[in-house]
Amino acid sequence: SELGWEIDILAPHATGALKKETSGQLQITRFQYFWPASQQTVCYQGGALINLRKSFWNKVKLPFLVIVEFLAMARLLLKHDYDLIHAHWILPQGFNAVLLGKLFRIPAIVTAHGGDVFGLKGKLLATFKHRILQNSSAVTANSSFTANKIKNISPELKGLHIIPMGISVNPLSAEQKNQAGLIRQHYKQGDHPLLVFAGRLVEEKGIADLLNAVEIIKNDLPGTRVLILGEGQDRKHFEALAKKLDITNMVIFKGWVDNKEVATHLAAADFFIGPSKTAKDGWIEAQGLSFLEAMSTGTPVIATASGGIVETVHNNETGFLVAETNPKQIAEIIKKLYGQELLLDKVRKNARKMVMKRFSRKASADNFSQLFDSLVAEQNSSR
């Protein structure tokens, strides 16, 4: 919006959310796709793919979401003179956007975030995705890893652009630095590491591997503390696992934390641990914004060599890599790295420099704006 675009956002409704809202210059409309509102359980709370996997009834509700979204999108297009549609996810948003883009004769861009590419498998869905991609005015992917997987679905696809999602790269304010210091003072135990995880509390984020790693180091570093930020469908399972491993005094489940507070928690920690792994349905971490957010605050990242993570976490340069599903390796690298300030300082500087250059919100917005401009110009010239 700061680059001159007027943006209306259409998103699914959820209990407690406003159906219409203005945030800065953004106009937000949320469509109710099931009644009563409390039964809108396909989206949010860990993600649609997880919700569909966990509940048969969410699969029953999915067609209602697609149909109501189509009608809500059509209503907006009839009401306003839009230049283009930008859909996030190939299915179902991309399907509705491409179809309505054809009907209203405006460009439809589809952005793939990873889960829509790796998940939602099957011959029929693959055919749908191929058709959507082929009929999009342009397709963007958040990493080259995602882009390569898109090419597997639609090998002859033209107009594929790699535009990573951006994060805030603003330095911490004096207030945030003070808050980070207080968090560190409250949780850090002597000369033992303070670890942090931020993300959805679901199996594929590898939290069980992190907990098992803590159990391995609890005798050598009993003062280790782990702050787990976020919510998700598997939280109770992870809390039960921490109890089983006898590490409840070392692990703090903080729950949902406001964005500004996430940054202060990341800055307070000695390491950010991101042990993502391949899910049973094929989901893989496509980009990993939480890794970049940790890097921007100067916190060294320990992550799995998985999916799109390796495009930003370069071992011993911008972070540290371990194998998927390997708690022992996580434990070993924590013990090995803790206190190696020369190496950690180098990694901190390299990581922040990379994030500033390639993954700021400004860089992402500039790339999308240039793509929008080119598509609108092309559309106007063809009229």
Side-chain angles (χ1 to χ4, degrees):
S1 61
E2 291 176 1
L3 296 174
W5 294 95
E6 294 180 39
I7 302 169
D8 291 350
I9 297 172
L10 181 66
H13 182 252
T15 303
L18 296 173
K19 290 189 176 178
K20 287 193 177 292
E21 184 178 2
T22 299
S23 177
Q25 298 179 50
L26 308 177
Q27 303 300 315
I28 303 168
T29 300
R30 298 184 180 93
F31 60 91
Q32 184 168 345
Y33 60 90
F34 215 80
W35 287 261
S38 61
Q39 291 302 306
Q40 298 177 117
T41 54
V42 176
C43 304
Y44 311 119
Q45 296 299 319
L49 286 179
I50 305 293
N51 292 330
L52 291 170
R53 185 198 309 160
K54 295 277 186 179
S55 169
F56 167 79
W57 291 111
N58 284 332
K59 294 175 183 175
V60 173
K61 296 171 189 177
L62 183 60
F64 292 91
L65 185 148
V66 178
I67 293 167
V68 177
E69 180 185 79
F70 177 89
L71 295 173
M73 196 181 294
R75 192 177 301 118
L76 285 175
L77 288 162
L78 287 168
K79 188 176 179 181
H80 302 286
D81 185 20
Y82 291 105
D83 291 301
L84 55 83
I85 308 170
H86 185 185
H88 292 262
W89 276 48
I90 302 171
L91 284 171
Q93 283 73 248
F95 172 77
N96 285 335
V98 167
L99 184 55
L100 288 166
K102 298 290 185 185
L103 289 172
F104 284 83
R105 297 183 179 180
I106 61 173
I109 303 166
V110 174
T111 287
H113 290 268
D116 50 340
V117 181
F118 317 136
L120 302 173
K121 291 186 174 180
K123 190 173 181 180
L124 180 61
L125 289 176
T127 300
F128 259 106
K129 287 192 270 191
H130 171 72
R131 295 293 185 190
I132 293 163
L133 294 167
Q134 285 296 314
N135 285 280
S136 301
S137 304
V139 177
T140 78
N142 57 0
S143 67
S144 60
F145 180 78
T146 305
N148 288 332
K149 295 295 183 181
I150 289 173
K151 289 175 184 176
N152 290 340
I153 298 171
S154 192
E156 68 274 29
L157 179 66
K158 296 178 181 178
L160 176 58
H161 307 262
I162 299 173
I163 303 180
M165 297 297 105
I167 65 162
S168 172
V169 294
N170 296 328
L172 294 180
S173 65
E175 181 183 351
Q176 286 178 305
K177 288 180 180 178
N178 181 59
Q179 187 63 30
L182 292 174
I183 292 169
R184 187 170 175 83
Q185 181 180 346
H186 180 74
Y187 289 109
K188 188 169 172 67
Q189 300 291 311
D191 191 27
H192 291 172
L194 177 61
L195 314 176
V196 67
F197 166 91
R200 294 178 294 125
L201 304 193
V202 292
E203 180 186 0
E204 52 263 42
K205 289 293 184 176
I207 300 163
D209 295 327
L210 171 56
L211 297 178
N212 278 294
V214 173
E215 194 272 337
I216 292 171
I217 64 175
K218 71 178 182 181
N219 291 328
D220 294 329
L221 297 169
T224 299
R225 293 293 180 270
V226 186
L227 305 179
I228 296 182
L229 316 181
E231 285 290 356
Q233 292 90 332
D234 295 332
R235 174 171 175 167
K236 289 184 179 179
H237 167 73
F238 296 134
E239 289 176 332
L241 178 59
K243 186 175 181 179
K244 179 181 177 182
L245 296 173
D246 193 25
I247 55 170
T248 52
N249 64 318
M250 303 173 74
V251 181
I252 300 95
F253 289 88
K254 296 279 290 184
W256 186 87
V257 175
D258 182 83
N259 281 340
K260 290 183 180 179
E261 293 182 21
V262 169
T264 59
H265 282 78
L266 294 174
D270 293 300
F271 296 104
F272 174 88
I273 314 293
S276 295
K277 58 185 180 180
T278 306
K280 294 174 184 176
D281 62 5
W283 179 93
I284 310 174
E285 194 80 68
Q287 182 183 357
L289 291 178
S290 56
F291 301 92
L292 301 175
E293 289 169 343
M295 291 176 180
S296 74
T297 65
T299 301
V301 168
I302 298 173
T304 46
S306 174
I309 294 172
V310 296
E311 295 180 30
T312 53
V313 182
H314 306 146
N315 199 34
N316 293 318
E317 291 297 326
T318 60
F320 305 94
L321 292 171
V322 297
E324 279 191 30
T325 321
N326 197 325
K328 184 178 180 182
Q329 199 172 2
I330 296 171
E332 287 173 350
I333 200 165
I334 291 170
K335 290 191 288 185
K336 177 183 176 182
L337 292 174
Y338 187 56
Q340 291 197 29
E341 286 306 311
L342 285 177
L343 174 59
L344 294 177
D345 279 344
K346 181 194 82 169
V347 167
R348 289 186 189 104
K349 290 174 183 176
N350 289 344
R352 178 155 176 79
K353 183 179 179 181
M354 177 195 66
V355 171
M356 290 283 290
K357 183 178 180 180
R358 294 173 50 200
F359 298 102
S360 69
R361 285 182 181 156
K362 183 180 183 306
S364 183
D366 285 342
N367 287 327
F368 275 117
S369 184
Q370 289 170 23
L371 179 58
F372 294 169
D373 278 328
S374 67
L375 291 173
V376 171
E378 183 180 330
Q379 181 73 11
N380 289 337
S381 66
S382 65
R383 285 176 177 171

